[in-house]
Amino acid sequence: MREEKIFQMEFGKVYDLLLNKAVKKGRTKAEVDQVISWLTGYRPEDIETCRASPLCYKDFFLSAPQPNPARRLITGVVCGVRVEAIEHPVLRDIRCLDKLIDELAKGRPIEKILRKQPGG
């Protein structure tokens, strides 16, 4: 999928896909929202507002109130690409969220999914 296409997708549609992936594996909406909040700084009620609006996925990340600096600690492969090697900042954040939801769906404890800065 070309990055332009993923950028233009509505956040609400992508959110539903991420939520379904996690819920199918026994995780909760609250956990999905917790992961998104940790990554972006959005509060759960803000996520719902974005979900109900026509906001595109790219703008969701560009408008993030407080991107977590610890998101740079997210590593691994998503869609055959190493997350840490992605240079485009928005695409990297999108793939970081994909990676976190993958970890959630695989049953990883939330405390390990939400990386902590060294000394933090």
Side-chain angles (χ1 to χ4, degrees):
M1 181 181 299
R2 294 186 343 212
E3 65 186 46
E4 298 87 18
K5 188 173 178 180
I6 197 164
F7 288 163
Q8 296 309 313
M9 291 176 69
E10 281 189 21
F11 169 73
K13 290 181 181 178
V14 177
Y15 178 91
D16 290 344
L17 294 171
L18 298 172
L19 179 62
N20 287 339
K21 181 177 192 171
V23 169
K24 278 185 188 176
K25 298 293 186 167
R27 300 313 283 255
T28 66
K29 179 182 184 307
E31 289 174 313
V32 170
D33 288 351
Q34 184 179 3
V35 166
I36 294 172
S37 293
W38 177 88
L39 183 66
T40 63
Y42 284 106
R43 297 171 303 166
E45 55 270 22
D46 299 329
I47 294 169
E48 278 304 311
T49 300
C50 291
R51 184 181 182 194
S53 77
L55 184 70
C56 72
Y57 207 27
K58 180 179 182 179
D59 289 343
F60 174 79
F61 283 98
L62 288 176
S63 301
Q66 193 171 12
N68 193 323
R71 72 190 187 284
R72 298 292 170 225
L73 301 174
I74 300 168
T75 60
V77 178
V78 174
C79 298
V81 178
R82 293 214 63 83
V83 172
E84 60 272 25
I86 298 171
E87 292 187 23
H88 192 289
V90 176
L91 187 57
R92 185 174 197 280
D93 286 346
I94 287 170
R95 294 302 180 208
C96 282
L97 181 54
D98 290 342
K99 179 70 176 162
L100 296 177
I101 296 298
D102 284 350
E103 291 176 3
L104 189 65
K106 289 178 181 173
R108 190 165 194 214
I110 198 84
E111 302 79 35
K112 292 190 178 204
I113 294 169
L114 309 180
R115 276 82 167 162
K116 291 185 173 51
Q117 292 278 22

